[in-house]
Amino acid sequence: MLEDDEQGRIGIDNKGRFSLPTHPTQVLAEHFSGVRFETLPDSVRDHVTDVLIDTVANAFIGRKKPETAKVEALASLIGGPATATVIGGPRNSLVGATLLNGFQAASVASGEETTPLMSHAATTVAPALAVTEVRGAAGGDLIVAIAIGIEIAGRVGAGMNIETMRSLFWDPPGVLGPLASSAAVASILKLDPRRFQNALSLAGTQSAGTAAQMGTSTMQFQHARSGMSGVLAAFLAETGFKAGPEILTASHGGLLHMFSDGGDPATVIAGLGENWLLKTPGSFSTCTLSRPELLAKLRQATDGFLSEHDTQRAIDMLEGLSQLADVSALCATLGGSQNNAIKRSGSCN
Amino acid sequence: MQLTLTEELAQFASELSYERLPESAKQYARSLLLDSMACALSSDFADETSGFADFARAAGGAGQSTIVGSQQGTSLLGAVLLNGFQITATTICDTYVPAHVHITPGIIPPALAIAERDGLDGKALLTAIVAGAEVASRLAAGINYGVAGPRGWHMPGILGPFGAAAAVGRLRKLSSAQMRDAFGLSGSQSGGTWASWGTPTVKFHQARGGASGLLAATLAEQGFSTSSDIIGDPQGGLLTAFSDGGNTQAIVDNLGEHFEFEEISLRLWPGGTPLQPSFTALFDLLAKGSVSPEQIADVHVYVAPVVHEAHARFTDPQGTFEALLSYPFVVASALRDRTFWLTSLSEENLASPETRALMSRVSLLADPSLTRESSRVVITMSDGRALTSQADLAKGTRGNPATEEDLRRKYEQSIVGRLPPSQADELLELLARPDHLDRLDRMFELFRSVGERRL
């Protein structure tokens, strides 16, 4: 058996295959902690904008779902001061808004015609938006965060083999969502590689959720919760809290073993820095709607929440997100007139 | 209609009443409260507590829920996270040994937080503690840790949510159906592996488990729908997702008559659970006569192979967390001082040449004849004499229980310098007999009065 070199770059995976390298968590952290808006390909930026528009639209639609009020009650009871925007609703705590926006979006995404990992968007967009708002980060930071979150979830999912995970009755968004969320938030917090790595480990240790909840709203709660888990993970890592270095492939408790059959660690980091999986044709997060279709969906979704003027304002800011020094104006617009439905005529109920 | 496994356990937790609790259950719940608060009061000795407090406040925000040792409140979520971490921070909290799971960090903080918020009395609090501890212990007994543990699963984040949900649900008077849903929502958050063994993240699992249970019970109270049998469902239920189907009888047999939570062990010495039998053997030996460290040739500590595998690498501990997992360090300190407490974890002691020299003479060895619960210490003196002591059960376990005096001493060691003596005595009496209290306000007021340690 080959020995690891000092950087753990050489090794044998659990199926006896030669693989490079054996510490994918570390490699992911080292790579993604250094990603900045300027280095994102245009195609990735555009794709993230599509994901964001779709998720925001879903969140408005989900705002009206009957179970949303129950999650809102939860969020209001457990969290602190209302510092973060809820899409289409009254402000809530950072954690509360993460849960609520995530639930609102997930309650629609999983039922729509979409690829499996689009439901992951809720687990990434909701926490990323909340933390960007509360920490005063820029629009470009939000784009990077969402890109990184979806990319990491997709890569780990590919390495884990989602179908194998499902055959074991694990729920992929519940398992991968914390990793996506923590990566997104870690990016906004600009954590160094070691803390980024700890954030991933702290997130992976909250991976949870099974298909036993199929047919209940708890499936969507699992997705929303996974977004919250990522916030906890990244915030705790920010303080310097230490976690196990290799959450993905640790011999005792590594996620590729725990939620699958060991998977293929090399897949997790294949082509890192060269390819963005989220833009690979036919990949897990291919958006099925064109930009015009997404915008039409958003316009329809805001009916009852935002005036036409504010809807257009939101669209302009979403499409021009990279120009925003912070997202406070965007969030204020998405919060809408919180207690009154706005009819298209502009009058209130 | 036959109840599912989850429904049966939920019904038990929902219908548990103070009046029907046997005295032994009440007394052990009192012990768990006192012990867990003693642990929380000692948390300032841990390196990570301050940073974790920053995290809990950032994640939880400001609020009215009491943090033990702070005048500044936080939200329910923040309080459950931070108080939970404080209980486990110094590696001296309880353990349900058969499943290697710490119970109180997950259930006591949410129970306290809800009792405080709702202005409940001590009987309600005590009943909630029993509900939470019993649900968690029953699941621990039934999950078959012999399969789940080797697979890599770490129980506090998996079972903790259920215990916390049961405690909160009892306080909120959830119906059986709501409690079932609370358990369903708990199971949807069950997670946590041994990948972070050797780091404080294993303690985060415990605090997070409590937070998850709080979420679960609170959402269930809103009428949120979940799986009807999260424990027994063959496709993603607790017993099959994390184990081999477990032992369902251990979970539901004799509910309300036999209380499994009375098997939870308490720790009288800071240090990993497996170290407790070694401490017991060592201090039993020291009680029999003087052993001068200068005359010790070597010390062999024998433990079960699985314990050896987990702890052998901590020969050169860095910081308090590793020190409490290090046999050479704890044994050397105990031999030198004839006592071992958190004050032994000073930087000075960790770096002391005298301690390090004695550590070099301490060896941890595996003995397949020993169980996790037993240990043997053999001290060979320079004149060739061998002094031997074996503990088959650690002090603090059901078969070798901690006395009320032991727990009071632990509390006094924890609180010294943090409250004026009169207030420390007052708090001790409130914690020792909480069910005698019509109101808990004074207890929370004293928690908030606990200050920085001044010795």
Side-chain angles (χ1 to χ4, degrees):
Chain A
M1 178 179 287
L2 292 173
E3 298 293 328
D4 287 1
D5 68 10
E6 286 181 5
Q7 288 79 37
R9 299 289 178 181
I10 301 172
I12 302 290
D13 69 17
N14 69 315
K15 290 186 170 63
R17 298 175 301 205
F18 175 73
S19 66
L20 279 170
T22 58
H23 302 306
T25 310
Q26 179 182 341
V27 172
L28 289 175
E30 286 174 350
H31 175 74
F32 285 110
S33 61
V35 171
R36 296 290 180 265
F37 180 78
E38 297 70 31
T39 61
L40 281 187
D42 286 344
S43 60
V44 171
R45 298 175 190 178
D46 286 342
H47 180 73
V48 167
T49 303
D50 287 344
V51 168
L52 190 49
I53 292 170
D54 191 52
T55 305
V56 169
N58 287 337
F60 275 111
I61 297 168
R63 183 79 197 151
K64 298 176 183 173
K65 300 272 182 178
E67 300 292 79
T68 294
K70 299 171 185 175
V71 178
E72 184 158 43
L74 164 70
S76 300
L77 284 167
I78 63 153
T83 56
T85 292
V86 173
I87 295 170
R91 293 168 70 75
N92 212 295
S93 65
L94 185 153
V95 164
T98 297
L99 268 177
L100 199 40
N101 288 331
F103 182 80
Q104 288 175 203
S107 65
V108 175
S110 60
E112 296 294 310
E113 187 175 324
T114 182
T115 54
L117 234 73
M118 283 300 283
S119 60
H120 285 221
T123 73
T124 308
V125 171
L129 183 64
V131 175
T132 301
E133 179 184 19
V134 170
R135 291 292 183 106
D141 295 331
L142 177 58
I143 292 174
V144 172
I146 294 171
I148 288 174
I150 297 176
E151 183 73 4
I152 282 185
R155 283 177 169 276
V156 175
M160 203 177 275
N161 193 333
I162 288 185
E163 289 316 308
T164 302
M165 201 191 311
R166 283 213 169 94
S167 72
L168 298 171
F169 306 109
W170 295 109
D171 175 38
V175 172
L176 302 173
L179 296 166
S181 168
S182 73
V185 176
S187 170
I188 296 165
L189 301 179
K190 298 201 170 16
L191 298 189
D192 63 38
R194 188 70 181 107
R195 289 180 192 217
F196 201 113
Q197 188 175 352
N198 285 333
L200 291 176
S201 284
L202 285 159
T205 210
Q206 300 176 73
S207 289
T210 76
Q213 310 288 358
M214 198 74 74
T216 76
S217 299
T218 300
M219 288 298 280
Q220 289 74 55
F221 172 73
Q222 281 176 178
H223 305 175
R225 187 278 312 158
S226 68
M228 172 185 157
S229 292
V231 172
L232 298 184
F235 274 28
L236 186 51
E238 187 183 30
T239 69
F241 201 81
K242 291 181 186 152
E246 191 40 66
I247 189 62
L248 295 179
T249 57
S251 58
H252 195 212
L255 300 188
L256 267 62
H257 299 286
M258 305 308 290
F259 294 100
S260 187
D261 60 357
D264 182 6
T267 300
V268 175
I269 52 169
L272 201 59
E274 297 160 13
N275 304 324
W276 283 82
L277 286 194
L278 63 84
K279 271 310 297 176
T280 304
S283 79
F284 53 88
S285 75
T286 300
C287 191
T288 57
L289 301 178
S290 66
R291 179 66 63 86
E293 288 170 329
L294 286 168
L295 293 178
K297 178 181 176 182
L298 179 57
R299 288 195 172 90
Q300 189 171 19
T302 59
D303 187 17
F305 295 101
L306 306 184
S307 66
E308 282 185 14
H309 174 264
D310 282 347
T311 298
Q312 187 57 51
R313 196 157 168 257
I315 289 172
D316 292 341
M317 284 190 280
L318 286 167
E319 291 198 290
L321 193 56
S322 63
Q323 306 303 312
L324 300 180
D326 65 63
V327 296
S328 53
L330 171 63
C331 288
T333 304
L334 293 179
S337 175
Q338 290 145 17
N339 295 309
N340 297 320
I342 303 287
K343 291 190 175 178
R344 288 301 184 196
S345 65
S347 63
C348 294
N349 283 337
Chain B
M1 192 167 78
Q2 177 115 17
L3 297 178
T4 67
L5 193 58
T6 307
E7 287 168 338
E8 213 171 327
L9 192 62
Q11 184 177 57
F12 160 76
S14 168
E15 296 179 357
L16 194 68
S17 71
Y18 177 83
E19 289 71 24
R20 291 169 60 185
L21 289 177
E23 182 55 34
S24 67
K26 290 177 185 173
Q27 184 53 42
Y28 209 63
R30 295 180 194 119
S31 295
L32 290 182
L33 177 63
L34 174 58
D35 184 76
S36 64
M37 290 301 99
C39 296
L41 290 164
S42 74
S43 63
D44 58 319
F45 282 100
D47 296 335
E48 300 82 16
T49 300
S50 166
F52 199 94
D54 292 340
F55 150 71
R57 292 189 188 284
Q64 302 303 310
S65 293
T66 292
I67 299 293
V68 176
S70 174
Q71 288 281 357
Q72 197 180 355
T74 178
S75 65
L76 277 179
L77 176 67
V80 168
L81 283 169
L82 181 49
N83 285 331
F85 185 81
Q86 290 196 137
I87 291 173
T88 184
T90 47
T91 317
I92 198 169
C93 71
D94 64 288
T95 314
Y96 180 83
V97 173
H100 207 88
V101 56
H102 309 291
I103 303 284
T104 61
I107 65 153
I108 302 281
L112 285 173
I114 296 297
E116 178 184 29
R117 185 197 68 182
D118 294 352
L120 302 176
D121 64 22
K123 288 188 173 66
L125 175 64
L126 202 75
T127 308
I129 291 171
V130 173
E134 186 62 10
V135 164
S137 301
R138 286 279 183 148
L139 292 173
I143 200 165
N144 192 353
Y145 186 69
V147 169
R151 281 189 187 176
W153 297 112
H154 186 228
M155 292 293 110
I158 293 166
L159 305 180
F162 288 89
V168 172
R170 182 74 285 271
L171 289 168
R172 294 297 301 165
K173 295 187 169 64
L174 296 193
S175 68
S176 293
Q178 288 174 317
M179 190 71 85
R180 175 205 63 205
D181 289 335
F183 289 171
L185 287 157
S186 298
S188 82
Q189 303 174 75
S190 286
T193 81
W194 281 105
S196 282
W197 167 243
T199 77
T201 292
V202 291
K203 298 179 182 297
F204 169 66
H205 293 177
Q206 298 155 41
R208 196 277 304 162
S212 289
L214 171 71
L215 262 66
T218 304
L219 189 52
E221 187 176 1
Q222 311 305 317
F224 205 80
S225 63
T226 76
S227 155
S228 64
D229 189 15
I230 190 58
I231 297 172
D233 191 320
Q235 296 185 349
L238 185 78
L239 299 180
T240 49
F242 297 98
S243 191
D244 63 351
N247 176 358
T248 58
Q249 284 183 302
I251 296 172
V252 292
D253 273 8
N254 301 315
L255 279 168
E257 294 165 19
H258 164 73
F259 286 86
E260 183 67 16
F261 85 96
E262 294 179 44
E263 298 293 327
I264 295 171
S265 298
L266 304 178
R267 283 187 270 193
L268 299 184
W269 300 280
T273 299
L275 278 75
Q276 306 300 306
S278 304
F279 276 123
T280 303
L282 180 62
F283 284 111
D284 282 349
L285 194 155
L286 292 177
K288 291 175 185 162
S290 175
V291 176
S292 173
E294 296 78 29
Q295 293 170 358
I296 293 174
D298 59 57
V299 183
H300 289 176
V301 181
Y302 294 90
V303 295
V306 63
V307 174
H308 181 268
E309 188 181 339
H311 289 265
R313 61 181 156 120
F314 296 105
T315 56
D316 182 23
Q318 305 299 314
T320 57
F321 180 77
E322 290 189 4
L324 291 171
L325 301 175
S326 170
Y327 278 79
F329 173 75
V330 303
V331 168
S333 285
L335 282 169
R336 192 192 66 181
D337 302 334
R338 298 183 69 83
T339 185
F340 187 79
W341 184 241
L342 295 165
T343 41
S344 309
L345 298 171
S346 65
E347 281 182 22
E348 184 185 23
N349 190 26
L350 271 166
S352 155
E354 185 189 356
T355 303
R356 291 280 162 170
L358 196 46
M359 282 171 66
S360 68
R361 283 178 266 158
V362 178
S363 301
L364 183 67
L365 302 163
D367 180 349
S369 73
L370 295 170
T371 66
R372 237 184 231 280
E373 291 80 26
S374 57
S375 178
R376 184 170 68 257
V377 174
V378 180
I379 301 177
T380 304
M381 306 302 289
S382 53
D383 62 9
R385 285 178 301 135
L387 310 175
T388 302
S389 175
Q390 177 157 326
D392 293 320
L393 287 172
K395 185 80 172 167
T397 58
R398 180 74 178 261
N400 189 4
T403 64
E404 194 170 326
E405 183 52 38
D406 289 329
L407 292 182
R408 283 178 178 253
R409 189 178 321 115
K410 181 175 175 178
Y411 169 86
E412 285 159 4
Q413 285 176 300
S414 297
I415 199 153
V416 64
R418 301 198 72 183
L419 267 185
S422 61
Q423 288 184 355
D425 290 344
E426 184 186 359
L427 180 57
L428 173 59
E429 293 314 308
L430 296 178
L431 290 171
R433 312 262 183 272
D435 43 329
H436 293 195
L437 305 173
D438 291 331
R439 297 190 63 84
L440 299 171
D441 306 54
R442 181 59 180 158
M443 183 189 295
F444 290 107
E445 189 180 340
L446 288 170
F447 284 154
R448 290 192 295 273
S449 299
V450 170
E452 203 175 304
R453 195 176 300 272
R454 296 180 203 286
L455 295 172

PDB file of all heavy atoms in Angstrom, chain B residues 39-54:
ATOM      1  N   CYS B  39     -21.278  20.538  36.842  1.00  0.00           N
ATOM      2  CA  CYS B  39     -20.438  20.495  35.644  1.00  0.00           C
ATOM      3  C   CYS B  39     -20.438  21.841  34.933  1.00  0.00           C
ATOM      4  O   CYS B  39     -19.378  22.353  34.534  1.00  0.00           O
ATOM      5  CB  CYS B  39     -20.936  19.409  34.682  1.00  0.00           C
ATOM      6  SG  CYS B  39     -20.814  17.734  35.317  1.00  0.00           S
ATOM      7  N   ALA B  40     -21.626  22.428  34.758  1.00  0.00           N
ATOM      8  CA  ALA B  40     -21.718  23.717  34.068  1.00  0.00           C
ATOM      9  C   ALA B  40     -20.931  24.789  34.809  1.00  0.00           C
ATOM     10  O   ALA B  40     -20.278  25.639  34.200  1.00  0.00           O
ATOM     11  CB  ALA B  40     -23.178  24.127  33.914  1.00  0.00           C
ATOM     12  N   LEU B  41     -20.982  24.736  36.129  1.00  0.00           N
ATOM     13  CA  LEU B  41     -20.279  25.738  36.931  1.00  0.00           C
ATOM     14  C   LEU B  41     -18.774  25.586  36.833  1.00  0.00           C
ATOM     15  O   LEU B  41     -18.035  26.514  37.160  1.00  0.00           O
ATOM     16  CB  LEU B  41     -20.727  25.624  38.394  1.00  0.00           C
ATOM     17  CG  LEU B  41     -22.175  26.068  38.651  1.00  0.00           C
ATOM     18  CD1 LEU B  41     -22.665  25.558  40.002  1.00  0.00           C
ATOM     19  CD2 LEU B  41     -22.295  27.584  38.583  1.00  0.00           C
ATOM     20  N   SER B  42     -18.299  24.433  36.400  1.00  0.00           N
ATOM     21  CA  SER B  42     -16.863  24.216  36.258  1.00  0.00           C
ATOM     22  C   SER B  42     -16.369  24.536  34.854  1.00  0.00           C
ATOM     23  O   SER B  42     -15.179  24.399  34.570  1.00  0.00           O
ATOM     24  CB  SER B  42     -16.529  22.749  36.578  1.00  0.00           C
ATOM     25  OG  SER B  42     -16.944  21.906  35.510  1.00  0.00           O
ATOM     26  N   SER B  43     -17.272  24.960  33.967  1.00  0.00           N
ATOM     27  CA  SER B  43     -16.919  25.075  32.548  1.00  0.00           C
ATOM     28  C   SER B  43     -15.865  26.137  32.267  1.00  0.00           C
ATOM     29  O   SER B  43     -15.234  26.115  31.203  1.00  0.00           O
ATOM     30  CB  SER B  43     -18.166  25.367  31.707  1.00  0.00           C
ATOM     31  OG  SER B  43     -18.721  26.620  32.073  1.00  0.00           O
ATOM     32  N   ASP B  44     -15.641  27.037  33.195  1.00  0.00           N
ATOM     33  CA  ASP B  44     -14.620  28.062  32.957  1.00  0.00           C
ATOM     34  C   ASP B  44     -13.217  27.474  32.910  1.00  0.00           C
ATOM     35  O   ASP B  44     -12.278  28.124  32.448  1.00  0.00           O
ATOM     36  CB  ASP B  44     -14.721  29.176  34.006  1.00  0.00           C
ATOM     37  CG  ASP B  44     -14.570  28.669  35.424  1.00  0.00           C
ATOM     38  OD1 ASP B  44     -15.130  27.600  35.750  1.00  0.00           O
ATOM     39  OD2 ASP B  44     -13.894  29.335  36.225  1.00  0.00           O
ATOM     40  N   PHE B  45     -13.068  26.242  33.378  1.00  0.00           N
ATOM     41  CA  PHE B  45     -11.757  25.599  33.296  1.00  0.00           C
ATOM     42  C   PHE B  45     -11.423  25.127  31.875  1.00  0.00           C
ATOM     43  O   PHE B  45     -10.276  24.803  31.580  1.00  0.00           O
ATOM     44  CB  PHE B  45     -11.690  24.385  34.235  1.00  0.00           C
ATOM     45  CG  PHE B  45     -11.489  24.734  35.679  1.00  0.00           C
ATOM     46  CD1 PHE B  45     -12.548  24.763  36.564  1.00  0.00           C
ATOM     47  CD2 PHE B  45     -10.214  25.016  36.170  1.00  0.00           C
ATOM     48  CE1 PHE B  45     -12.364  25.079  37.909  1.00  0.00           C
ATOM     49  CE2 PHE B  45     -10.020  25.330  37.518  1.00  0.00           C
ATOM     50  CZ  PHE B  45     -11.100  25.359  38.388  1.00  0.00           C
ATOM     51  N   ALA B  46     -12.434  25.037  31.019  1.00  0.00           N
ATOM     52  CA  ALA B  46     -12.200  24.498  29.674  1.00  0.00           C
ATOM     53  C   ALA B  46     -11.757  25.596  28.720  1.00  0.00           C
ATOM     54  O   ALA B  46     -12.302  26.701  28.721  1.00  0.00           O
ATOM     55  CB  ALA B  46     -13.469  23.831  29.147  1.00  0.00           C
ATOM     56  N   ASP B  47     -10.794  25.276  27.870  1.00  0.00           N
ATOM     57  CA  ASP B  47     -10.251  26.270  26.940  1.00  0.00           C
ATOM     58  C   ASP B  47     -11.289  26.783  25.953  1.00  0.00           C
ATOM     59  O   ASP B  47     -11.198  27.907  25.470  1.00  0.00           O
ATOM     60  CB  ASP B  47      -9.084  25.662  26.139  1.00  0.00           C
ATOM     61  CG  ASP B  47      -7.900  25.294  27.006  1.00  0.00           C
ATOM     62  OD1 ASP B  47      -7.749  25.889  28.091  1.00  0.00           O
ATOM     63  OD2 ASP B  47      -7.126  24.405  26.600  1.00  0.00           O
ATOM     64  N   GLU B  48     -12.246  25.923  25.593  1.00  0.00           N
ATOM     65  CA  GLU B  48     -13.149  26.248  24.483  1.00  0.00           C
ATOM     66  C   GLU B  48     -14.401  27.012  24.892  1.00  0.00           C
ATOM     67  O   GLU B  48     -15.150  27.481  24.030  1.00  0.00           O
ATOM     68  CB  GLU B  48     -13.582  24.963  23.769  1.00  0.00           C
ATOM     69  CG  GLU B  48     -12.456  24.139  23.158  1.00  0.00           C
ATOM     70  CD  GLU B  48     -11.768  23.246  24.175  1.00  0.00           C
ATOM     71  OE1 GLU B  48     -12.352  23.046  25.267  1.00  0.00           O
ATOM     72  OE2 GLU B  48     -10.656  22.756  23.890  1.00  0.00           O
ATOM     73  N   THR B  49     -14.658  27.126  26.198  1.00  0.00           N
ATOM     74  CA  THR B  49     -15.943  27.667  26.647  1.00  0.00           C
ATOM     75  C   THR B  49     -16.159  29.106  26.183  1.00  0.00           C
ATOM     76  O   THR B  49     -17.237  29.467  25.721  1.00  0.00           O
ATOM     77  CB  THR B  49     -16.066  27.577  28.170  1.00  0.00           C
ATOM     78  OG1 THR B  49     -15.962  26.197  28.565  1.00  0.00           O
ATOM     79  CG2 THR B  49     -17.399  28.131  28.656  1.00  0.00           C
ATOM     80  N   SER B  50     -15.149  29.909  26.287  1.00  0.00           N
ATOM     81  CA  SER B  50     -15.287  31.312  25.921  1.00  0.00           C
ATOM     82  C   SER B  50     -15.645  31.465  24.443  1.00  0.00           C
ATOM     83  O   SER B  50     -16.541  32.226  24.077  1.00  0.00           O
ATOM     84  CB  SER B  50     -13.971  32.020  26.251  1.00  0.00           C
ATOM     85  OG  SER B  50     -13.913  33.273  25.660  1.00  0.00           O
ATOM     86  N   GLY B  51     -14.939  30.743  23.588  1.00  0.00           N
ATOM     87  CA  GLY B  51     -15.229  30.812  22.152  1.00  0.00           C
ATOM     88  C   GLY B  51     -16.612  30.280  21.833  1.00  0.00           C
ATOM     89  O   GLY B  51     -17.320  30.822  20.974  1.00  0.00           O
ATOM     90  N   PHE B  52     -17.004  29.226  22.535  1.00  0.00           N
ATOM     91  CA  PHE B  52     -18.328  28.671  22.294  1.00  0.00           C
ATOM     92  C   PHE B  52     -19.400  29.661  22.718  1.00  0.00           C
ATOM     93  O   PHE B  52     -20.443  29.777  22.081  1.00  0.00           O
ATOM     94  CB  PHE B  52     -18.499  27.335  23.037  1.00  0.00           C
ATOM     95  CG  PHE B  52     -19.613  26.484  22.494  1.00  0.00           C
ATOM     96  CD1 PHE B  52     -19.362  25.506  21.554  1.00  0.00           C
ATOM     97  CD2 PHE B  52     -20.925  26.671  22.915  1.00  0.00           C
ATOM     98  CE1 PHE B  52     -20.383  24.719  21.035  1.00  0.00           C
ATOM     99  CE2 PHE B  52     -21.963  25.895  22.403  1.00  0.00           C
ATOM    100  CZ  PHE B  52     -21.681  24.921  21.461  1.00  0.00           C
ATOM    101  N   ALA B  53     -19.134  30.405  23.777  1.00  0.00           N
ATOM    102  CA  ALA B  53     -20.089  31.429  24.204  1.00  0.00           C
ATOM    103  C   ALA B  53     -20.245  32.496  23.113  1.00  0.00           C
ATOM    104  O   ALA B  53     -21.359  32.940  22.827  1.00  0.00           O
ATOM    105  CB  ALA B  53     -19.630  32.064  25.512  1.00  0.00           C
ATOM    106  N   ASP B  54     -19.142  32.881  22.512  1.00  0.00           N
ATOM    107  CA  ASP B  54     -19.219  33.853  21.406  1.00  0.00           C
ATOM    108  C   ASP B  54     -20.085  33.293  20.278  1.00  0.00           C
ATOM    109  O   ASP B  54     -20.911  34.005  19.692  1.00  0.00           O
ATOM    110  CB  ASP B  54     -17.815  34.163  20.864  1.00  0.00           C
ATOM    111  CG  ASP B  54     -16.961  34.934  21.855  1.00  0.00           C
ATOM    112  OD1 ASP B  54     -17.528  35.556  22.772  1.00  0.00           O
ATOM    113  OD2 ASP B  54     -15.719  34.912  21.695  1.00  0.00           O
TER     114      ASP B  54
END
